[in-house]
Amino acid sequence: MSASDVPVIIVTGASQGLGAATAVELARMGAGVALMACGAEGLAATAAAIHDQGGRAWTFVGDVAIHADCARCVKDTIDQFGRLDGVVNNAGTLAPLDTTANADPAAWQRNLLVNVAGPFNLIHTALPELKRRQGRVVNVSSGAAEVVIQAAGAYCAAKSALNHFTRVLAAEEPEITVVAVRPGVVDTAMQHVLRDQGPRVMPEDQAAFYRDLKTHGRLEPPEVPGRALAWLALQAPHSWSGRYMSYDDPGLLAALKR
Ligand code: NAP
């Protein structure tokens, strides 16, 4: 099989956590993977893990909140691999973890830039190639899109916006398939931030909920939702376009078992 026969997917936030696990799963499923994040060291570690298992990966240091960075990532990916078949918009930030009354306005606005404008920036620049290839977009959402998490107003608003953007994009662009996915509660740095900083700003019962998830071993390892995200980026059926779904959706689990 020549290099250009292999599907190519961009994964943002691939320097650690869920993005890194998704990228490794994608490579295991046979895709070439372009890894994007701000941190070069983490990206290099993910790329090394993929190369070690015989996969193809390429790194791009950039900020998803900057449109020009996303445009260069898309262009360089197509130059490098000869094609682009999908995007996993996984890069995300929880900050500021603070109540609306106390939140830093610049941090609040930055949250929406990363979590909502980031996916827009990448999709906007990738769309012509995605449409040409009937490609796929996986927007990594969160249960926070629907559940009230006090002191995470920007994050909740951003994930809710991402879900509705997904629906609008699905209607506008019937040639592509786009889904928003809740990855569950995952054992990554983001959960560590909740446990570490939550007690300072959250109601006691809410902070205890996040602490207990870790204590009682109820966090998902990143590889579990990572596998679901990777499969969706390569094979999500077009009839699912516009859906907000969970990583353990029964239809998705059945497809993963096949
Ligand atoms: P994480 O460990 O904090 O990883 C976040 C990733 O996003 C890092 O690779 C980070 O890399 C990257 N990133 C942040 N800002 C960026 C920017 N401006 N440009 C490019 N990359 C950026 O968190 P995670 O848990 O793996 O989260 C991954 C996704 O899952 C997020 O969208 C999150 O909202 C979602 N999610 C997580 C959970 C959970 O329980 N963990 C639950 C629901 C949803 P750099 O710092 O190197 O840029």
Side-chain angles (χ1 to χ4, degrees), residues 19 84 88 132 145 151 169 179 184 204:
L84 175 62
V88 180
R132 220 165 63 77
L169 181 64
V179 293
E204 207 178 310

Side-chain angles (χ1 to χ4, degrees), residues 1-245:
M1 199 186 288
S2 84
S4 61
D5 290 337
V6 172
V8 173
I9 311 292
I10 294 176
V11 180
T12 68
S15 58
Q16 62 183 49
L18 182 55
T22 303
V24 169
E25 291 295 329
L26 273 164
R28 207 168 274 154
M29 291 175 186
V33 199
L35 313 168
M36 182 181 182
C38 300
E41 228 171 271
L43 287 177
T46 308
I50 290 172
H51 295 149
D52 284 352
Q53 66 184 30
R56 295 179 72 221
W58 175 81
T59 63
F60 185 91
V61 177
D63 180 344
V64 294
I66 299 174
H67 188 274
D69 282 6
C70 293
R72 266 191 299 126
C73 178
V74 167
K75 182 181 178 308
D76 289 1
T77 300
I78 295 170
D79 287 350
Q80 177 81 13
F81 289 105
R83 60 190 287 172
L84 175 62
D85 300 81
V87 171
V88 180
N89 282 310
N90 163 82
T93 180
L94 189 59
L97 197 60
D98 222 330
T99 57
T100 304
N102 294 325
D104 170 48
W108 207 99
Q109 290 160 17
R110 168 79 183 160
N111 185 295
L112 267 73
L113 269 181
V114 173
N115 291 332
V116 186
F120 162 79
N121 288 338
L122 208 62
I123 291 163
H124 184 245
T125 53
L127 251 184
E129 180 72 3
L130 293 180
K131 284 167 76 164
R132 220 165 63 77
R133 296 203 172 267
Q134 300 181 313
R136 295 180 174 82
V137 173
V138 177
N139 289 325
V140 180
S141 183
S142 168
E146 296 181 329
V147 172
V148 172
I149 305 177
Q150 293 182 58
Y155 183 77
C156 291
K159 293 300 187 180
S160 207
L162 186 61
N163 286 358
H164 205 48
F165 172 44
T166 301
R167 295 180 192 108
V168 172
L169 181 64
E172 287 177 348
E173 302 294 352
E175 296 99 325
I176 67 165
T177 299
V178 50
V179 293
V181 183
R182 168 194 167 268
V185 195
V186 196
D187 199 359
T188 66
M190 197 174 273
Q191 283 297 318
H192 177 78
V193 171
L194 271 176
R195 288 192 302 276
D196 189 49
Q197 298 177 22
R200 183 180 51 83
V201 288
M202 288 174 165
E204 207 178 310
D205 58 337
Q206 198 181 276
F209 170 78
Y210 289 107
R211 185 196 59 225
D212 291 350
L213 285 176
K214 177 72 174 175
T215 317
H216 299 311
R218 292 206 301 266
L219 294 174
E220 287 288 12
E223 294 71 25
V224 172
R227 192 159 164 260
L229 297 175
W231 184 86
L232 285 166
L234 292 172
Q235 301 200 50
H238 184 64
S239 58
W240 294 3
S241 200
R243 279 181 64 184
Y244 164 54
M245 60 197 302

